Amino acid sequence: MPSRRTVLAATAGVAATLTVGGTAYADDKKLRSLVSRMTLEEKVGQLFVMRVYGHSATAPDQADIDANLKEIGVRTAAELIAKYRVGGIIYFTWAHNTRDPHQIADLSNGIQKASLSLPRGLPVLVSTDQEHGIVCRVGEPATLFPGAMAIGAGRSRKDARTLGRIAGQELRSLGIRQNYSPVADVNVNPANPVIGVRSFGADPGAVAGMVAAEVGGYQHARQVAATAKHFPGHGDTAVDSHYGFPVITHTRAQWDKLDAPPFRAAIAAGIDSIMTAHIMVPALDDSGDPATLSRPILNGILRGELGYDGVIVTDSLGMEGVRTKYGDDRVPVLALKAGVDQLLNPPNLDVAWNAVLKAVRDGELTEARLDESILRVLRLKAKLRLFEAPYVSQAGVTRTVGIPSHLAEADRIAERTTTLLVNENHALPLSPRKLLVVGADPASPSGTTGPPTGVLAAAFTELGFTATALSTGTAPSAATIAKAVAAARDVDAVVVGTYNVSATSSQKTLVEQLVAAGRPVIAIAVRNPYDVAHLPSVPAVVASYSWTDVELRAAARVIAGRAAPRGRLPVPVQKADDPAAVLYPIGYGLSYQT
């Protein structure tokens, strides 16, 4: 943690501009004055939010130095900021930015010091994807909440707001001030490969209410800028925009009814930033361009029709959905022409940065256009008090991150989300007995403990069961299935975690053979609740909506009768043999009294 003298020295110039008598005074006149003193190169830099490898701003590991040199042409975050004057940095787990809370705080302070020590240095807006559920960058010991679809199943806007408030407090203490959450997409396509359980559900009104509540929690006391994503709506696609270019075929009327309500609700709630989607929506713009590069969508609809004047940030510019039609030198320029303010994570920063610089010098972009976006970004930094208080303290981390009251709240919220879908002959709740836990064991998400079978077995053991874990994988072989069936003969009941079961999945074969073995079988759909349609022979099925620790532990408590099943489906489940027919509607869910 920098000393108070260092902090004061580094921030003196900027703070003096924006404070009067110690009181924040960040009006547009002073912000515009800051913009007027910036060089063109500094202005271009302010528009970029970039990744960087390493746990430290100045002394990363050698492997991270090598990765930075290869991808960015700099050794460290400090060098990145000095060379390109970037306005934002995004943290990733795979970039080794998020080892532990105290390290993250040190990294954030190092980034701020590097920027503020430069001539005309400005505070950096540090961001990350902390959606909770299956997408998080800051893992344990930070508090991890259920994901969006689980929160949708809990149907409590108060819980959504609590999630945002607590998660926002923890992020703020780490120096992370912009969170790319909540997901505002309405997941109306069960085959959606990229959104799915990251969405609150399939009902636009319910999703809108949850989005607005979570935004209110995050932005409480100006602690963190929430980001509604992915505009104009990524909920009805069978293509992942990381790897392809999705086309949404909704009519304008369908878009107004299905996709727009959560974004309207986010804007009404005072959302600070909105992220674009790399999708084509011909009904909104028939040019063939992705929404990220569409002036009719961003300037016409989002700015004009919806009246939004906050920050617009692109989804990652390294994703295939935005690179299909144009080269990496054209994408950032076209995004700015469309109305974007922040250019997120270009694959090659030097190419993107120089392309924007050249576009201004050649007259394709005006400096005044850049100034509009820079002013929005600076307004957000001022709103978040980054000019007044850019640094965080280690004491604040200890006082805030993963404290018992936060962890207990996450557990309480998770218990309200677990959904009981099938319970034949009152198979549940299950009394303590000898238990076998088998399952898919996908890679543990979001810095949680994992694997799922191990987490479940440990949770049942704490509840008084004698539980053994046996991982069977997402595509169990005949030998693996035989091993699980043999093990099932020595226990009183079997819990099986399923993960995206299909009609031809060998997971389905596993479950069927376990049921045929004659022991009670309880299935937990650890990701999509749609699994239940493919498990007609199972006497008890619950949905946890994710395989994070907090959701699995809650599911175990529900199965054991230590908590009541209170979740209700936030999406419909169609019949496996007739997708046009609904097996379980939105709002369906059993209790132990029925």
Side-chain angles (χ1 to χ4, degrees):
M1 174 65 191
S3 68
R4 179 171 174 79
R5 180 175 297 176
T6 303
V7 173
L8 292 175
T11 60
V14 173
T17 306
L18 294 174
T19 61
V20 176
T23 302
Y25 193 67
D27 63 14
D28 268 14
K29 182 178 180 181
K30 289 177 171 55
L31 293 176
R32 291 177 191 277
S33 177
L34 277 182
V35 176
S36 71
R37 295 198 296 275
M38 296 166 67
T39 67
L40 178 57
E41 290 80 4
E42 290 165 0
K43 289 181 177 181
V44 171
Q46 275 297 299
L47 303 173
F48 284 94
V49 181
M50 188 60 184
R51 70 190 177 280
V52 66
Y53 290 85
H55 71 286
S56 164
T58 55
D61 295 339
Q62 186 61 49
D64 292 322
I65 291 173
D66 295 342
N68 285 328
L69 286 170
K70 180 180 179 181
E71 293 188 18
I72 315 173
V74 298
R75 293 167 53 85
T76 67
E79 289 183 14
L80 165 68
I81 293 164
K83 182 174 181 180
Y84 292 104
R85 303 299 287 264
V86 293
I89 285 181
I90 178 172
Y91 287 171
F92 290 106
T93 308
W94 52 259
H96 309 138
N97 304 138
T98 57
R99 289 182 177 177
D100 67 76
H102 290 282
Q103 166 269 318
I104 297 169
D106 281 340
L107 174 60
S108 298
N109 285 336
I111 285 169
Q112 298 298 355
K113 181 181 177 183
S115 184
L116 291 166
S117 64
L118 296 170
R120 298 172 303 282
L122 295 170
V124 175
L125 189 54
V126 176
S127 62
T128 200
D129 292 284
Q130 191 80 350
E131 295 176 12
H132 294 270
I134 69 171
V135 177
C136 282
R137 310 306 183 200
V138 181
E140 291 185 334
T143 305
L144 297 174
F145 286 89
M149 191 170 286
I151 298 297
R155 300 172 299 160
S156 169
R157 295 183 185 182
K158 180 181 178 182
D159 284 350
R161 185 177 180 88
T162 297
L163 183 160
R165 177 178 55 79
I166 291 176
Q169 288 171 358
E170 296 200 6
L171 289 175
R172 187 186 190 283
S173 76
L174 303 174
I176 299 171
R177 305 304 302 277
Q178 185 178 23
N179 188 21
Y180 300 134
S181 187
V183 171
D185 304 315
V186 181
N187 199 75
V188 294
N189 187 345
N192 194 322
V194 64
I195 305 302
V197 294
R198 297 166 62 197
S199 163
F200 287 108
D203 178 76
V207 173
M210 292 297 180
V211 166
E214 196 166 303
V215 168
Y218 275 116
Q219 296 187 179
H220 175 74
R222 294 187 280 176
Q223 54 191 14
V224 167
T227 308
K229 61 186 185 184
H230 308 78
F231 190 82
H234 209 316
D236 189 7
T237 175
V239 176
D240 185 340
S241 53
H242 289 86
Y243 310 109
F245 186 18
V247 178
I248 307 296
T249 57
H250 290 180
T251 65
R252 174 58 198 254
Q254 287 174 319
W255 179 82
D256 279 325
K257 180 180 179 181
L258 292 174
D259 302 290
F263 292 100
R264 293 183 188 275
I267 293 168
I271 188 79
D272 283 328
S273 54
I274 291 178
M275 179 179 285
T276 67
H278 305 324
I279 58 175
M280 188 198 312
V281 189
L284 305 184
D285 178 2
D286 61 6
S287 68
D289 286 343
T292 297
L293 310 182
S294 169
R295 187 168 176 82
I297 290 175
L298 300 186
N299 193 69
I301 296 175
L302 183 55
R303 295 267 190 235
E305 294 182 27
L306 302 189
Y308 177 66
D309 194 37
V311 169
I312 298 177
V313 57
T314 70
D315 206 340
S316 171
L317 297 183
M319 294 166 61
E320 190 60 31
V322 78
R323 303 173 75 190
T324 299
K325 188 174 178 181
Y326 301 101
D328 292 338
D329 59 332
R330 294 300 299 154
V331 166
V333 175
L334 294 173
L336 289 169
K337 292 176 75 171
V340 158
D341 302 306
Q342 288 183 306
L343 301 162
L344 178 61
N345 201 28
N348 187 316
L349 178 60
D350 195 66
V351 167
W353 190 89
N354 279 294
V356 174
L357 190 66
K358 182 177 185 296
V360 177
R361 288 175 173 165
D362 290 350
E364 183 180 5
L365 282 170
T366 66
E367 199 164 342
R369 168 67 193 90
L370 266 58
D371 291 352
E372 289 177 16
S373 288
I374 294 164
L375 187 59
R376 287 194 188 96
V377 172
L378 292 184
R379 282 173 183 152
L380 181 53
K381 291 180 179 182
K383 178 180 178 180
L384 296 170
R385 303 188 183 97
L386 275 168
F387 290 102
E388 306 156 63
Y391 295 97
V392 294
S393 71
Q394 292 295 344
V397 174
T398 301
R399 192 169 55 243
T400 307
V401 178
I403 59 176
S405 62
H406 288 179
L407 297 173
E409 194 66 64
D411 282 336
R412 283 193 291 270
I413 289 174
E415 283 186 357
R416 294 192 279 269
T417 68
T418 305
T419 306
L420 180 61
L421 298 174
V422 178
N423 193 22
E424 294 178 1
N425 300 318
H426 302 287
L428 297 180
L430 204 62
S431 300
R433 60 182 75 180
K434 195 173 182 182
L435 202 62
L436 174 67
V437 180
V438 303
D441 274 351
S444 185
S446 313
T448 58
T449 304
T453 53
V455 173
L456 283 167
F460 281 115
T461 298
E462 291 178 8
L463 294 167
F465 291 76
T466 301
T468 303
L470 175 62
S471 177
T472 49
T474 55
S477 65
T480 299
I481 292 172
K483 182 179 179 181
V485 171
R489 296 192 181 103
D490 296 327
V491 298
D492 299 309
V494 181
V495 172
V496 54
T498 66
Y499 181 91
N500 296 0
V501 177
S502 67
T504 58
S505 170
S506 57
Q507 290 183 64
K508 181 179 178 183
T509 305
L510 167 69
V511 172
E512 289 171 346
Q513 292 196 20
L514 286 169
V515 171
R519 296 292 186 268
V521 175
I522 299 94
I524 303 177
V526 300
R527 184 167 181 161
N528 292 323
Y530 313 116
D531 287 5
V532 67
H534 298 283
L535 307 172
S537 63
V538 181
V541 182
V542 302
S544 67
Y545 306 99
S546 178
W547 60 108
T548 55
D549 296 358
V550 69
E551 288 162 294
L552 294 177
R553 290 195 305 263
R557 292 194 297 276
V558 168
I559 289 169
R562 302 296 178 87
R566 286 183 278 177
R568 298 292 182 267
L569 280 174
V571 294
V573 173
Q574 285 84 13
K575 291 184 177 180
D577 57 355
D578 183 8
V582 173
L583 180 64
Y584 299 116
I586 290 175
Y588 179 86
L590 303 175
S591 69
Y592 285 150
Q593 286 72 46
T594 57

